[in-house]
Amino acid sequence: MRLIMMGPPGAGKGTQADIVCASMSIPHISTGDIFRANVTQGTALGVEAKRYMDAGEYVPDGVTNAMVRDRLDEADCAAGFLLDGYPRTIEQVGVLDAMLSAQGVGIDVVVELTVDIDVVVKRLVKRAHDQGRADDTEEVIRRRLEVFAEQTAPLTSLYASRGLLAQVSGMGEIPAVTARIEAAISASA
Ligand code: AMP
């Protein structure tokens, strides 16, 4: 299975992706996590990415696409994967399409977690306290939501037009959301 998990910042993508990947035994590829690991390790990629992340902006497509290409070339992705937080722009969709079609494969389903925006802001503020993320100050949160609405929300209609979109409510307790996601994945299989 090749899955994409979409939804605004704070929708619970990372938490749900971890659970789904563990039960399906596929790698969880979070571009945000890869960027954060690079920031922590102080790599050149991390230094570049941090400037954008701290401002709530997207890391440039060229940088992000090259990183995903390297990750998808690793052996553990051959049988499937879940992309969390990628693609986020129309250009990234085109690059991902080309990467997959070169391998003769494609995305099976795009799960979009839909949430109430007030809930998202509360979750992000709480996470800022818990994890000390520099991109979770209130001003940056607002910018991240704006960038999502401008650049990433349009991707859902694109995937819907391909018949790949499964919209799932991300509201409620974690296990209830997981059950909805698993039902949506089974229905699309
Ligand atoms: P996330 O943890 O997925 O919310 O990602 C945290 C930050 O990493 C984002 O606000 C962006 O600055 C950057 N980032 C993650 N994924 C992407 C992507 N696909 N394209 C551009 N920037 C990204």
Side-chain angles (χ1 to χ4, degrees):
M1 266 277 191
R2 292 173 183 84
L3 311 175
I4 294 173
M5 185 84 81
M6 284 192 55
K13 295 188 298 293
T15 303
Q16 293 297 335
D18 270 340
I19 299 169
V20 169
C21 288
S23 78
M24 296 179 75
S25 299
I26 52 174
H28 172 190
I29 301 172
S30 158
T31 43
D33 284 351
I34 302 174
F35 283 133
R36 279 184 289 278
N38 276 275
V39 170
T40 304
Q41 290 159 21
T43 67
L45 174 66
V47 171
E48 164 143 37
K50 189 175 186 329
R51 293 192 287 138
Y52 299 96
M53 295 168 78
D54 286 354
E57 304 293 337
Y58 285 168
V59 177
D61 284 335
V63 175
T64 307
N65 288 327
M67 185 178 84
V68 172
R69 185 185 299 279
D70 287 348
R71 182 64 188 89
L72 291 183
D73 275 345
E74 288 180 37
D76 64 335
C77 292
F81 52 78
L82 184 155
L83 286 168
D84 160 12
Y86 182 93
R88 262 170 149 116
T89 65
I90 298 281
E91 186 184 321
Q92 291 177 15
V93 172
V95 170
L96 176 64
D97 286 344
M99 285 189 246
L100 296 180
S101 65
Q103 295 177 12
V105 297
I107 294 296
D108 296 296
V109 59
V110 178
V111 175
E112 183 196 8
L113 286 183
T114 59
V115 282
D116 180 325
I117 222 70
D118 293 338
V119 170
V120 154
V121 173
K122 276 195 198 123
R123 275 187 194 170
L124 290 172
V125 171
K126 184 178 181 302
R127 190 167 72 184
H129 290 298
D130 296 349
Q131 298 179 1
R133 274 178 58 163
D135 60 350
D136 276 352
T137 65
E138 214 162 323
E139 192 193 341
V140 177
I141 288 168
R142 230 175 294 121
R143 181 61 194 148
R144 291 173 70 209
L145 289 166
E146 260 173 35
V147 172
F148 174 83
E150 284 163 15
Q151 301 206 43
T152 306
L155 269 50
T156 58
S157 50
L158 194 154
Y159 282 116
S161 72
R162 297 183 185 181
L164 293 177
L165 187 68
Q167 287 178 306
V168 171
S169 168
M171 306 295 291
E173 298 298 320
I174 290 171
V177 177
T178 306
R180 277 178 227 138
I181 293 172
E182 289 181 341
I185 293 172
S186 307
S188 72

